[in-house]
Every structure is written in C-alpha cells, then in structure tokens.
Amino acid sequence: MNRKKVKLAYITNDSARKATFKKRKKGLMKKVSELSPLCGIDACAILYNPYDSQSEVWPEMEQSKKMVTQESFLRQRIAKRKEQLKKQGKDNREKEITRVMFQSLTGKGLQTLNIIDLNDLGWMIDQNLKEINKRIESLNKKAQSLATAAVAAAAAHHQEWREGARGETGL
C-alpha cells in the first residue's frame, strides 16, 4: 500500500493547516530525537508556532538532563559493576570465614590462617555471639511473659475454686 505523493502547497483551510502543523511538528521532533543517538551527533530543533505564543525546543531541559553520552553511560555501568563486585567479594569472604569457623568446630586447626583471617574469624564469632545473645534475650522475655500469664491464670483459677468451695460448704 503506497502513500500518495503530498503536494507541497500552502493549506488555505485554517483548521486543516493547524492539524497538519500539529502532526508534522510531532513527526519532525521525533525524527530529530532519533537522529541524535543514531548518528552520535548533537541536534536541536526550534519551532516557532504561529498558533501559540511559545516556541517549542527539542531537547527540553528535563530531557537533556536525562540524556547521557556513551562515555558517561559506560562509566555508570562500570561503577555499578564495581559496587556489585565489591559486595560479592564481601559476601564470599563472609562465607569463607563461616566455613573456617565451622571447620574449627569439627577439630581442624587454625594454624594455617594468617592474621587477617584470624581477625575476620574473631569478628565473625563476635557477630554470631551478638545474634545468639539477642535471640536468648528475646526468648527469655517471651518465657517471662508466658510465665506471668500462667501465674495470673492459675491465680484466677484458684480464686474461682475457692469461691466455689465456699458456696458448697455454705460459708
């Protein structure tokens, strides 16, 4: 399906001219926005609108702030990957030290570890002890609240029993 060739002449009908302007303006802005990244050039467009007091500019200020060059894009990606690598290295180190800690619990010696490994092992043990102490404290609080509730329930039950026993004896 082929398009008809458009006759380039002034459009005398005012509403048709406005509609054509609006459509063509949108297409032109789209072409400029595609041309810039495809060809790696800086491009801009300024359209004076006879139907509006403000002219249109591409790229808009917000849009140009979002646009990045290939170099800055690559720098961002490299920084992101470095951060991911650093995080993964830290995770791997924690897993390695955890493995060493569990091996030492099974009887394997720590003689082959250097001072950095021993410091990291000490830190890991401290972290685990803190977590264990928090858990113990939490369980103690839970047990204390359950015991308090049990004592209160037993006292209430005893009180009911005493009142029931008085009623049976006629006191």
Side-chain angles (χ1 to χ4, degrees):
M1 183 176 232
N2 294 336
R3 289 186 178 185
K4 291 182 185 178
K5 184 167 177 144
V6 177
K7 182 181 175 189
L8 296 178
Y10 182 75
I11 301 171
T12 54
N13 183 340
D14 197 37
S15 62
R17 187 170 56 249
K18 283 182 183 180
T20 302
F21 176 79
K22 189 175 178 180
K23 288 178 190 175
R24 294 281 179 116
K25 177 185 71 166
K26 185 177 175 184
L28 183 62
M29 292 298 196
K30 182 179 177 188
K31 290 292 181 189
V32 172
S33 69
E34 291 171 352
L35 181 67
S36 181
L38 286 174
C39 299
I41 60 168
D42 292 330
C44 73
I46 302 172
L47 286 178
Y48 294 100
N49 187 346
Y51 309 108
D52 192 4
S53 61
Q54 285 194 333
S55 58
E56 283 202 43
V57 178
W58 185 92
E60 296 172 2
M61 292 308 279
E62 296 84 33
Q63 190 176 9
S64 63
K65 287 178 186 175
K66 292 178 188 175
M67 290 179 65
V68 293
T69 63
Q70 185 176 11
E71 182 180 352
S72 63
F73 173 75
L74 291 175
R75 285 184 195 276
Q76 289 172 357
R77 294 270 310 230
I78 290 169
K80 187 176 179 181
R81 294 291 186 232
K82 282 183 179 179
E83 191 63 36
Q84 288 174 341
L85 183 63
K86 184 178 176 182
K87 185 178 182 282
Q88 190 63 50
K90 183 180 175 187
D91 290 346
N92 288 346
R93 181 66 177 163
E94 285 184 18
K95 287 177 182 177
E96 180 183 349
I97 295 299
T98 301
R99 183 184 55 78
V100 168
M101 181 176 64
F102 285 119
Q103 283 179 347
S104 69
L105 291 173
T106 62
K108 291 199 176 182
L110 302 175
Q111 296 84 0
T112 59
L113 298 178
N114 62 31
I115 191 73
I116 295 171
D117 292 340
L118 290 171
N119 281 335
D120 288 349
L121 180 61
W123 178 84
M124 180 68 71
I125 291 170
D126 287 342
Q127 295 303 310
N128 286 332
L129 285 174
K130 285 178 185 176
E131 193 63 38
I132 290 168
N133 288 332
K134 284 181 188 176
R135 183 75 176 134
I136 289 171
E137 189 177 315
S138 170
L139 290 172
N140 284 338
K141 285 181 181 178
K142 194 179 223 181
Q144 188 177 15
S145 67
L146 288 174
T148 303
V151 168
H157 180 69
H158 180 70
Q159 183 68 26
E160 288 174 6
W161 177 80
R162 285 183 63 188
E163 289 173 0
R166 280 187 195 152
E168 289 176 7
T169 60
L171 296 174

mmCIF file of all heavy atoms in Angstrom, residues 136-157:
data_model
loop_
_atom_site.group_PDB
_atom_site.id
_atom_site.type_symbol
_atom_site.label_atom_id
_atom_site.label_comp_id
_atom_site.label_asym_id
_atom_site.label_seq_id
_atom_site.Cartn_x
_atom_site.Cartn_y
_atom_site.Cartn_z
ATOM 1 N N ILE A 136 18.556 -15.179 72.683
ATOM 2 C CA ILE A 136 18.340 -15.647 74.058
ATOM 3 C C ILE A 136 17.507 -14.630 74.834
ATOM 4 O O ILE A 136 16.553 -14.986 75.534
ATOM 5 C CB ILE A 136 19.687 -15.928 74.773
ATOM 6 C CG1 ILE A 136 20.349 -17.172 74.182
ATOM 7 C CG2 ILE A 136 19.498 -16.080 76.283
ATOM 8 C CD1 ILE A 136 21.775 -17.404 74.668
ATOM 9 N N GLU A 137 17.861 -13.359 74.698
ATOM 10 C CA GLU A 137 17.121 -12.295 75.382
ATOM 11 C C GLU A 137 15.660 -12.267 74.932
ATOM 12 O O GLU A 137 14.745 -12.160 75.755
ATOM 13 C CB GLU A 137 17.796 -10.947 75.098
ATOM 14 C CG GLU A 137 17.254 -9.806 75.917
ATOM 15 C CD GLU A 137 18.024 -8.521 75.647
ATOM 16 O OE1 GLU A 137 19.263 -8.556 75.609
ATOM 17 O OE2 GLU A 137 17.350 -7.485 75.483
ATOM 18 N N SER A 138 15.439 -12.427 73.654
ATOM 19 C CA SER A 138 14.085 -12.442 73.119
ATOM 20 C C SER A 138 13.302 -13.633 73.669
ATOM 21 O O SER A 138 12.141 -13.492 74.068
ATOM 22 C CB SER A 138 14.141 -12.503 71.590
ATOM 23 O OG SER A 138 12.875 -12.755 71.041
ATOM 24 N N LEU A 139 13.930 -14.801 73.700
ATOM 25 C CA LEU A 139 13.260 -15.992 74.227
ATOM 26 C C LEU A 139 12.989 -15.857 75.723
ATOM 27 O O LEU A 139 11.940 -16.297 76.208
ATOM 28 C CB LEU A 139 14.101 -17.240 73.942
ATOM 29 C CG LEU A 139 14.177 -17.669 72.467
ATOM 30 C CD1 LEU A 139 15.182 -18.797 72.286
ATOM 31 C CD2 LEU A 139 12.813 -18.071 71.944
ATOM 32 N N ASN A 140 13.924 -15.269 76.477
ATOM 33 C CA ASN A 140 13.710 -15.051 77.911
ATOM 34 C C ASN A 140 12.526 -14.123 78.155
ATOM 35 O O ASN A 140 11.714 -14.359 79.050
ATOM 36 C CB ASN A 140 14.969 -14.500 78.586
ATOM 37 C CG ASN A 140 16.024 -15.567 78.799
ATOM 38 O OD1 ASN A 140 15.716 -16.754 78.834
ATOM 39 N ND2 ASN A 140 17.274 -15.147 78.941
ATOM 40 N N LYS A 141 12.419 -13.051 77.382
ATOM 41 C CA LYS A 141 11.286 -12.128 77.517
ATOM 42 C C LYS A 141 9.974 -12.839 77.210
ATOM 43 O O LYS A 141 8.978 -12.645 77.909
ATOM 44 C CB LYS A 141 11.455 -10.927 76.587
ATOM 45 C CG LYS A 141 12.475 -9.926 77.058
ATOM 46 C CD LYS A 141 12.578 -8.760 76.107
ATOM 47 C CE LYS A 141 13.625 -7.767 76.556
ATOM 48 N NZ LYS A 141 13.768 -6.653 75.603
ATOM 49 N N LYS A 142 9.996 -13.657 76.163
ATOM 50 C CA LYS A 142 8.796 -14.408 75.791
ATOM 51 C C LYS A 142 8.415 -15.385 76.898
ATOM 52 O O LYS A 142 7.247 -15.490 77.276
ATOM 53 C CB LYS A 142 9.040 -15.149 74.478
ATOM 54 C CG LYS A 142 7.813 -15.682 73.814
ATOM 55 C CD LYS A 142 8.198 -16.357 72.514
ATOM 56 C CE LYS A 142 7.237 -15.977 71.425
ATOM 57 N NZ LYS A 142 7.576 -16.624 70.166
ATOM 58 N N ALA A 143 9.409 -16.102 77.445
ATOM 59 C CA ALA A 143 9.146 -17.067 78.515
ATOM 60 C C ALA A 143 8.636 -16.355 79.763
ATOM 61 O O ALA A 143 7.718 -16.840 80.438
ATOM 62 C CB ALA A 143 10.416 -17.857 78.834
ATOM 63 N N GLN A 144 9.200 -15.186 80.064
ATOM 64 C CA GLN A 144 8.773 -14.421 81.241
ATOM 65 C C GLN A 144 7.330 -13.957 81.087
ATOM 66 O O GLN A 144 6.542 -14.062 82.020
ATOM 67 C CB GLN A 144 9.704 -13.229 81.445
ATOM 68 C CG GLN A 144 9.469 -12.484 82.732
ATOM 69 C CD GLN A 144 10.471 -11.354 82.923
ATOM 70 O OE1 GLN A 144 11.154 -10.957 81.983
ATOM 71 N NE2 GLN A 144 10.547 -10.844 84.134
ATOM 72 N N SER A 145 6.975 -13.487 79.899
ATOM 73 C CA SER A 145 5.595 -13.039 79.695
ATOM 74 C C SER A 145 4.631 -14.221 79.738
ATOM 75 O O SER A 145 3.525 -14.106 80.265
ATOM 76 C CB SER A 145 5.454 -12.269 78.379
ATOM 77 O OG SER A 145 5.649 -13.130 77.281
ATOM 78 N N LEU A 146 5.053 -15.395 79.230
ATOM 79 C CA LEU A 146 4.207 -16.586 79.313
ATOM 80 C C LEU A 146 4.054 -17.046 80.759
ATOM 81 O O LEU A 146 2.961 -17.447 81.179
ATOM 82 C CB LEU A 146 4.784 -17.712 78.451
ATOM 83 C CG LEU A 146 4.670 -17.544 76.938
ATOM 84 C CD1 LEU A 146 5.424 -18.662 76.229
ATOM 85 C CD2 LEU A 146 3.217 -17.519 76.510
ATOM 86 N N ALA A 147 5.134 -16.987 81.530
ATOM 87 C CA ALA A 147 5.075 -17.385 82.936
ATOM 88 C C ALA A 147 4.165 -16.444 83.715
ATOM 89 O O ALA A 147 3.362 -16.891 84.548
ATOM 90 C CB ALA A 147 6.478 -17.398 83.540
ATOM 91 N N THR A 148 4.257 -15.169 83.461
ATOM 92 C CA THR A 148 3.405 -14.189 84.128
ATOM 93 C C THR A 148 1.942 -14.465 83.805
ATOM 94 O O THR A 148 1.085 -14.430 84.691
ATOM 95 C CB THR A 148 3.790 -12.758 83.697
ATOM 96 O OG1 THR A 148 5.174 -12.550 83.985
ATOM 97 C CG2 THR A 148 2.958 -11.723 84.404
ATOM 98 N N ALA A 149 1.676 -14.742 82.529
ATOM 99 C CA ALA A 149 0.306 -15.051 82.122
ATOM 100 C C ALA A 149 -0.174 -16.344 82.776
ATOM 101 O O ALA A 149 -1.329 -16.446 83.208
ATOM 102 C CB ALA A 149 0.220 -15.159 80.602
ATOM 103 N N ALA A 150 0.685 -17.348 82.904
ATOM 104 C CA ALA A 150 0.316 -18.621 83.527
ATOM 105 C C ALA A 150 0.030 -18.429 85.006
ATOM 106 O O ALA A 150 -0.932 -18.998 85.542
ATOM 107 C CB ALA A 150 1.419 -19.655 83.314
ATOM 108 N N VAL A 151 0.847 -17.643 85.698
ATOM 109 C CA VAL A 151 0.633 -17.370 87.120
ATOM 110 C C VAL A 151 -0.695 -16.640 87.312
ATOM 111 O O VAL A 151 -1.477 -16.964 88.212
ATOM 112 C CB VAL A 151 1.813 -16.564 87.715
ATOM 113 C CG1 VAL A 151 1.482 -16.013 89.085
ATOM 114 C CG2 VAL A 151 3.061 -17.427 87.787
ATOM 115 N N ALA A 152 -0.965 -15.659 86.457
ATOM 116 C CA ALA A 152 -2.221 -14.924 86.557
ATOM 117 C C ALA A 152 -3.414 -15.846 86.312
ATOM 118 O O ALA A 152 -4.433 -15.771 87.017
ATOM 119 C CB ALA A 152 -2.229 -13.768 85.563
ATOM 120 N N ALA A 153 -3.296 -16.737 85.346
ATOM 121 C CA ALA A 153 -4.380 -17.670 85.050
ATOM 122 C C ALA A 153 -4.571 -18.643 86.208
ATOM 123 O O ALA A 153 -5.707 -18.959 86.595
ATOM 124 C CB ALA A 153 -4.090 -18.428 83.756
ATOM 125 N N ALA A 154 -3.472 -19.117 86.789
ATOM 126 C CA ALA A 154 -3.562 -20.039 87.924
ATOM 127 C C ALA A 154 -4.183 -19.346 89.124
ATOM 128 O O ALA A 154 -5.010 -19.938 89.843
ATOM 129 C CB ALA A 154 -2.172 -20.574 88.275
ATOM 130 N N ALA A 155 -3.810 -18.097 89.365
ATOM 131 C CA ALA A 155 -4.379 -17.347 90.480
ATOM 132 C C ALA A 155 -5.878 -17.156 90.274
ATOM 133 O O ALA A 155 -6.670 -17.292 91.221
ATOM 134 C CB ALA A 155 -3.683 -16.002 90.629
ATOM 135 N N ALA A 156 -6.286 -16.840 89.063
ATOM 136 C CA ALA A 156 -7.709 -16.665 88.773
ATOM 137 C C ALA A 156 -8.450 -17.983 88.952
ATOM 138 O O ALA A 156 -9.549 -18.019 89.528
ATOM 139 C CB ALA A 156 -7.887 -16.140 87.350
ATOM 140 N N HIS A 157 -7.854 -19.060 88.492
ATOM 141 C CA HIS A 157 -8.474 -20.378 88.633
ATOM 142 C C HIS A 157 -8.593 -20.749 90.114
ATOM 143 O O HIS A 157 -9.622 -21.265 90.552
ATOM 144 C CB HIS A 157 -7.659 -21.430 87.875
ATOM 145 C CG HIS A 157 -8.216 -22.812 87.971
ATOM 146 N ND1 HIS A 157 -9.400 -23.170 87.371
ATOM 147 C CD2 HIS A 157 -7.770 -23.918 88.645
ATOM 148 C CE1 HIS A 157 -9.656 -24.440 87.646
ATOM 149 N NE2 HIS A 157 -8.683 -24.913 88.412
#
